[in-house]
Amino acid sequence: MILENTKRGKHCYNQNEDRLSDLPDGVLLHILSFLNTKRVVQTCILSKRWKHLWKRSSTLMLHSTKFSTVKRFATFVSKVLTLRDTSTALNALDLYRHGDIEPQLLKKILNYVCSHNTHIQELGISVNGDSGLIMSCVSSCHALTSLKLSIYPRGSIGSHTPTLFPKSLNLPSLISLNLTNFAFCGGESDCVEPFFAFTKLSCLVICGCKVKDAQILSISSETLVNLAIEDPLEKINLAKQTDFFEEAIQTDYSSNFAEIKLSTPNLYTFSFTGDLIQKICRSGLSSVKQVNIDDSRQDDASVEHGLVLFSWLLDFANVESLTVTSTTLQILSLVPDLLEVKLPSLCNLKSLEVELTPLDEGYLSQTIKDAMLKKAAAKSDKEFLKLIKAFKARLELPPIPDGIVDFLRQNSLSAQVTFTTEFPHRFNLMEDDKSSNEDKVEKHQPNSTSPLFVTTGSEEFSIWLTY
């Protein structure tokens, strides 16, 4: 009918006509599945057509941030679970409660999930509550394809006791797994392998997790494509209750963290956020083609951190896209005589993106300054005294260490270099309105001063950096 009216050049539709309501129920319910449940329920006032439609939505997105008080959130959730059409299968539930969740409300939600456990495919729970009840509910949902859990004890402030991840979890269809604040428990050996039963796992996210009574976290999967790790995996022994900072003083800092052993031949994307102290067994990252490293929150570093990062680089045999922060490059530059090393990897690099992040005064900046002074002293006393004088005059550290970009591109000179930043004024960037689209990314010529373009949202700035 639309085509016929277009051909005839007629505009016969009434501007007040509700054409959305004429869509089939299946289409409308699919649209509603992308909305927060509070918004879905509000559609009941639109017309008689919509009055009961929300009750048949197969997705529940229950977020406390959409409510002014905890009581209103609890009341809303209870009514939704009571009034929802019982004949409609529940395919997805996403529960987010900022802070402690009331025990009775949590029980009611989990019981409702368990009553639909044969149909539910996507489950997300982010609460401070009873981990035992939650994991019992999860273990009954054998049809899950996506699971996202962020569980903290009630009343937890500061130090958080991690939730123990079950040694056996029967989720044969699981494709995506996202875990926050979990502990993976070892057995008789020093190696723990918590994900071996998930034979279809494609995406794995580990955030703020720990390893208990083991030295190595093994991730073995033929199907894993995307791996993201936020914060290095701290080793713990719950029986001893050893204070982490006390242990760090008594022994080598890196020994407080478990090593990761990867056997993932089809791994394509690797992302890491946090302090660069996470050791990964050699060859574990050899299949990866996209890498994203974000250590912008790191406020301290040493040569040890730089060496860990360097060990990762040696394993990037097939990486085509590398995204790092300027802080990452500063830490890498701490490795002694780095620029004299012939890098055997990064031969397939096509794109290098550096996010410029401000480096404020602190332990990290002082470590970098000490390293620069050491290198200057190795050249001559004159260079050393000149640099000391400059630092006393509040010389700012260069956003990118000299020669570091050339070092990363030594085996891929045609790789394109892009700089991005959310802080253009911190880096004294100049707005460049004359740049054409072709000039937005310029190929860097080694040993030269080259203009590189910095993307800052909708704006574009140019910066001159000397390598």
Side-chain angles (χ1 to χ4, degrees):
M1 184 173 67
I2 294 175
L3 290 175
E4 288 181 357
N5 287 329
T6 302
K7 292 178 181 179
R8 296 174 185 174
K10 295 181 179 180
H11 302 282
C12 59
Y13 290 113
N14 188 328
Q15 290 183 351
N16 296 322
E17 185 179 357
D18 182 9
R19 293 159 62 188
L20 181 63
S21 296
D22 291 336
L23 294 173
D25 285 2
V27 175
L28 294 178
L29 290 171
H30 180 70
I31 294 172
L32 293 179
S33 69
F34 294 97
L35 301 179
N36 186 281
T37 301
K38 182 179 180 181
R39 297 299 183 199
V40 174
V41 173
Q42 288 173 340
T43 62
C44 69
I45 65 172
L46 295 177
S47 67
K48 291 182 179 180
R49 171 80 167 82
W50 292 83
K51 186 173 182 180
H52 299 290
L53 191 64
W54 70 269
K55 299 179 182 180
R56 294 163 51 200
S57 175
S58 61
T59 299
L60 291 178
M61 197 179 300
L62 309 172
H63 292 186
S64 65
T65 54
K66 302 296 181 181
F67 296 84
S68 58
T69 66
V70 173
K71 185 177 180 180
R72 288 185 177 182
F73 173 68
T75 302
F76 174 81
V77 172
S78 296
K79 287 186 177 180
V80 166
L81 298 184
T82 302
L83 298 176
R84 188 174 175 274
D85 188 344
T86 56
S87 65
T88 300
L90 179 65
N91 294 330
L93 181 139
D94 184 27
L95 170 64
Y96 177 83
R97 166 72 174 92
H98 181 66
D100 294 346
I101 188 169
E102 296 68 22
Q104 292 302 320
L105 178 61
L106 178 61
K107 281 185 180 180
K108 188 168 187 175
I109 296 172
L110 295 179
N111 287 338
Y112 194 84
V113 171
C114 288
S115 68
H116 292 78
N117 59 2
T118 58
H119 296 96
I120 191 164
Q121 295 180 325
E122 300 178 17
L123 179 61
I125 300 177
S126 179
V127 298
N128 291 8
D130 190 331
S131 60
L133 286 177
I134 296 172
M135 295 312 299
S136 177
C137 172
V138 169
S139 63
S140 71
C141 301
H142 302 304
L144 285 177
T145 59
S146 175
L147 177 61
K148 182 177 181 179
L149 298 175
S150 176
I151 307 173
Y152 291 88
R154 280 180 56 84
S156 61
I157 300 176
S159 178
H160 305 297
T161 301
T163 300
L164 298 181
F165 191 76
K167 291 186 176 180
S168 59
L169 196 57
N170 184 23
L171 301 176
S173 302
L174 196 65
I175 296 174
S176 176
L177 179 61
N178 188 320
L179 300 174
T180 298
N181 195 44
F182 276 80
F184 308 113
C185 304
E188 297 180 357
S189 67
D190 283 341
C191 183
V192 55
E193 189 172 357
F195 314 116
F196 71 94
F198 307 139
T199 57
K200 295 183 179 180
L201 194 63
S202 175
C203 178
L204 176 62
V205 179
I206 302 173
C207 177
C209 292
K210 299 173 175 61
V211 173
K212 176 181 176 292
D213 300 330
Q215 303 292 326
I216 298 174
L217 173 69
S218 176
I219 303 176
S220 179
S221 173
E222 295 283 338
T223 58
L224 191 65
V225 176
N226 304 309
L227 174 62
I229 299 173
E230 184 170 339
D231 298 324
L233 291 163
E234 179 190 340
K235 291 189 298 187
I236 60 172
N237 188 325
L238 296 180
K240 292 182 179 180
Q241 292 294 324
T242 305
D243 182 77
F244 170 68
F245 295 103
E246 177 184 343
E247 188 174 322
I249 295 173
Q250 295 173 351
T251 184
D252 177 36
Y253 178 65
S254 63
S255 66
N256 293 289
F257 300 95
E259 189 172 3
I260 295 178
K261 181 180 179 181
L262 296 177
S263 180
T264 50
N266 294 304
L267 190 63
Y268 187 89
T269 302
F270 172 72
S271 299
F272 183 86
T273 304
D275 288 1
L276 298 172
I277 200 65
Q278 180 64 66
K279 292 183 179 180
I280 300 175
C281 294
R282 286 298 308 274
S283 77
L285 299 170
S286 58
S287 66
V288 176
K289 292 189 176 181
Q290 292 184 357
V291 173
N292 189 321
I293 301 173
D294 181 2
D295 57 352
S296 56
R297 297 179 304 176
Q298 185 161 345
D299 57 6
D300 193 8
S302 64
V303 173
E304 187 177 10
H305 291 83
L307 289 172
V308 168
L309 179 58
F310 180 69
S311 70
W312 292 5
L313 293 178
L314 295 176
D315 204 14
F316 291 158
N318 293 291
V319 168
E320 296 178 357
S321 173
L322 176 61
T323 301
V324 296
T325 66
S326 54
T327 306
T328 305
L329 301 185
Q330 296 281 9
I331 294 173
L332 181 61
S333 69
L334 297 176
V335 177
D337 303 320
L338 177 72
L339 302 184
E340 299 176 12
V341 176
K342 295 296 182 182
L343 196 63
S345 55
L346 295 178
C347 298
N348 299 314
L349 189 64
K350 297 179 181 178
S351 170
L352 173 61
E353 181 175 324
V354 181
E355 181 184 352
L356 298 174
T357 54
L359 187 62
D360 297 320
E361 289 294 329
Y363 291 113
L364 179 55
S365 61
Q366 187 57 52
T367 301
I368 295 170
K369 289 180 180 179
D370 291 342
M372 292 175 65
L373 288 170
K374 186 176 180 180
K375 291 179 182 178
K379 293 181 180 179
S380 67
D381 291 341
K382 183 179 179 181
E383 289 287 334
F384 177 72
L385 294 173
K386 181 180 178 181
L387 190 55
I388 285 184
K389 184 177 180 180
F391 283 148
K392 286 183 177 180
R394 297 192 176 276
L395 171 71
E396 291 189 5
L397 292 171
I400 307 295
D402 290 347
I404 202 75
V405 171
D406 285 338
F407 171 76
L408 294 174
R409 297 172 62 255
Q410 62 182 268
N411 296 323
S412 301
L413 296 179
S414 61
Q416 292 181 330
V417 182
T418 307
F419 289 78
T420 63
T421 186
E422 296 179 358
F423 310 93
H425 303 296
R426 289 291 299 270
F427 296 97
N428 297 320
L429 306 185
M430 303 173 295
E431 189 169 0
D432 189 350
D433 296 323
K434 300 179 180 180
S435 305
S436 65
N437 292 331
E438 291 78 9
D439 292 332
K440 286 186 178 180
V441 179
E442 290 198 1
K443 294 181 181 179
H444 165 65
Q445 300 298 324
N447 301 319
S448 66
T449 302
S450 305
L452 296 169
F453 289 92
V454 183
T455 304
T456 61
S458 60
E459 297 179 292
E460 182 180 308
F461 295 83
S462 64
I463 181 173
W464 289 81
L465 299 174
T466 302
Y467 300 96

